Amino acid sequence: MNQFRFELIHTCAQTGARLGRLHTPHGVINTPCYMPVGTQATVKAMTPRDLADTGSEICLANTYHLFERPGHELVREAGGLHTFMRWDKPILTDSGGFQVFSLAVANKIKEDGVEFRSLIDGKKHFFTPEKVMEIEEALGADIAMVFDECAPWPSDESYTRAAMNRTHRWAERCKKAHTREDQALFGIVQGGTYKHLRIESAKTLADMDFPGYGIGGLSVGEPKPLMYEMLEEIAPYMPKDKPRYLMGVGSPDCLVEGAICGVDMFDCVLQTRIARNGLALTSNGKKMLRNATFEHDFSVIEEGCDCYACSNGFTRAYIRHLVKCKEILAAQLITMHNIRFSQRLMAGVRQAIAEDRLMDFRNECIAKGMFD
């Protein structure tokens, strides 16, 4: 795994947050980082050039959805995801575990794997750890995730422990089945919102010596303070020389608070999903651009923003018009802005860590209304 290396550059004296660099076969990722989500091998409303222009250094693709269509064998035939989607920077694929448990019809969990029916054609499929490794290796991302069982919230302790233990057993099977030397396989810490289970999971996965670790089963409905509490609890038990990835989390407040808790990597569909509904992220809070209040507002989404939309003078009034007319350009412009906003925020987080003032940076964000 010499093509994959994590450098811990600096630890914030004020908070313990981590500044790092993650080296992969397709480039270096500065951490903490936000990773846009390209579920179907594309970040919605974005070309690869647009995505690169936002400062994004890595994006995600979804194993479950790509298995459904076009199929992992077709992606392999195309030369892997990088060639297929024309993205030459790093890619991470999740294992599809969350989707199998949350989206698939009539799933049945067994020790060997999960049986489920396709949402597309109703066909029955069976995901085992070995099958998931086969799919992820065919997709060929720089980082692959183990197949895990994500317990819903709330779940009682007995069920959560059983899901966690199964996740550990599946992690061992994934590691044994994984063969690509140019792909890093991350373990996933589970345990719900039970402190002792989270700590046990972190210790167990650390002993398996993965090159990186996801933190799963959070931001699934529990209050945010409880999520932060779980992150604080497991931080001392996570390997210091390995990246930590909080899965499916990426609102502005969570990006900053998560970094304070020692997280290095984040992903979320929020930035693209809300853009398609007309909602923009700004340093002074969210702006619903479809609202009538912006009909005669000829300012850009956010003054001082260097995204394509703002730097080229696209006004709130014009974008509102596009939203109301259901024009595709509305989603493109707001998505460009939201992702660039998130990347600028993470650049600010990294600078604040380097200057040992991340808590001050957090308080400045709150004072401006960024987290509202």
Side-chain angles (χ1 to χ4, degrees):
M1 195 54 65
N2 56 3
Q3 298 181 71
F4 187 91
R5 179 168 55 91
F6 180 66
E7 288 182 84
L8 183 57
I9 297 169
H10 181 71
T11 301
C12 179
Q14 195 178 52
T15 63
R18 296 143 54 88
L19 184 68
R21 290 193 195 98
L22 186 55
H23 297 258
T24 78
H26 286 88
V28 177
I29 305 153
N30 292 287
T31 63
C33 68
Y34 162 69
M35 305 181 286
V37 178
T39 303
Q40 307 276 9
T42 177
V43 176
K44 286 180 172 58
M46 299 284 278
T47 68
R49 181 183 62 189
D50 293 335
L51 191 59
D53 286 348
T54 65
S56 298
E57 296 175 330
I58 179 174
C59 70
L60 269 68
N62 185 280
T63 295
Y64 168 80
H65 289 287
L66 293 175
F67 166 78
E68 290 271 45
R69 58 184 177 196
H72 59 290
E73 290 297 350
L74 188 144
V75 176
R76 189 204 303 273
E77 182 184 345
L81 273 177
H82 292 91
T83 303
F84 191 52
M85 63 188 285
R86 312 310 299 172
W87 173 254
D88 61 3
K89 297 178 185 294
I91 300 173
L92 183 151
T93 48
D94 62 13
S95 68
F98 179 79
Q99 286 73 30
V100 166
F101 292 107
S102 63
L103 296 179
V105 179
N107 62 57
K108 296 179 181 177
I109 305 169
K110 305 177 182 179
E111 181 55 33
D112 197 41
V114 182
E115 180 183 286
F116 62 95
R117 290 192 179 276
S118 168
L119 282 174
I120 296 172
D121 57 16
K123 288 183 179 178
K124 188 181 293 186
H125 299 291
F126 193 67
F127 267 15
T128 65
E130 292 77 14
K131 180 65 176 179
V132 169
M133 290 300 94
E134 174 194 331
I135 298 168
E136 291 198 81
E137 289 195 0
L139 296 176
D142 301 82
I143 302 170
M145 305 302 297
V146 300
F147 190 46
D148 64 323
E149 181 177 351
C150 180
W153 188 87
S155 294
D156 62 39
E157 183 176 345
S158 176
Y159 177 84
T160 305
R161 174 175 285 282
M164 178 193 74
N165 287 335
R166 186 175 290 112
T167 291
H168 297 165
R169 293 191 294 271
W170 286 357
E172 290 178 336
R173 289 169 57 186
C174 285
K175 189 171 184 181
K176 185 177 180 180
H178 187 259
T179 61
R180 285 193 71 145
E181 294 185 359
D182 62 345
Q183 184 181 67
L185 179 65
F186 280 23
I188 300 178
V189 175
Q190 288 289 352
T193 52
Y194 298 94
K195 295 179 183 179
H196 60 292
L197 294 184
R198 282 283 172 183
I199 292 171
E200 180 181 341
S201 187
K203 288 180 176 179
T204 300
L205 270 296
D207 288 342
M208 293 186 197
D209 194 28
F210 287 97
Y213 296 90
I215 304 166
L218 293 176
S219 192
V220 291
E222 81 282 0
K224 286 182 179 179
L226 188 53
M227 176 177 72
Y228 302 144
E229 187 179 344
M230 294 302 107
L231 294 175
E232 291 172 356
E233 287 291 331
I234 63 173
Y237 304 97
M238 302 284 285
K240 290 183 172 57
D241 60 343
K242 306 286 180 68
R244 307 166 185 174
Y245 161 34
L246 180 56
M247 304 177 72
V249 177
S251 61
D253 55 335
C254 288
L255 290 173
V256 177
E257 299 287 358
I260 289 171
C261 295
V263 174
D264 306 302
M265 305 166 71
F266 304 83
D267 83 280
C268 196
V269 299
L270 171 83
Q271 284 74 357
T272 54
R273 179 175 290 167
I274 65 174
R276 297 194 297 278
N277 293 316
L279 189 59
L281 300 170
T282 78
S283 298
N284 304 114
K286 301 181 184 71
K287 308 294 182 186
M288 177 50 79
L289 298 180
R290 69 167 58 246
N291 289 351
T293 185
F294 298 111
E295 183 177 4
H296 300 279
D297 188 338
F298 299 108
S299 60
V300 296
I301 299 173
E302 182 172 9
E303 294 294 339
C305 175
D306 62 357
C307 79
Y308 175 84
C310 294
S311 62
N312 284 280
F314 290 96
T315 66
R316 295 173 174 182
Y318 176 64
I319 295 172
R320 177 180 183 271
H321 158 69
L322 297 176
V323 172
K324 298 292 284 186
C325 294
K326 297 182 170 57
E327 286 288 345
I328 294 170
L329 183 58
Q332 292 176 300
L333 293 173
I334 304 173
T335 299
M336 290 175 189
H337 171 80
N338 284 351
I339 294 179
R340 180 58 189 149
F341 167 85
S342 300
Q343 300 300 2
R344 289 193 300 117
L345 174 61
M346 295 314 293
V349 167
R350 292 192 293 270
Q351 182 176 348
I353 293 173
E355 297 172 354
D356 294 317
R357 57 178 304 275
L358 184 55
M359 193 60 71
D360 296 334
F361 179 82
R362 167 189 175 270
N363 293 338
E364 292 162 8
C365 291
I366 291 173
K368 289 190 292 186
M370 187 184 296
F371 299 165
D372 294 344

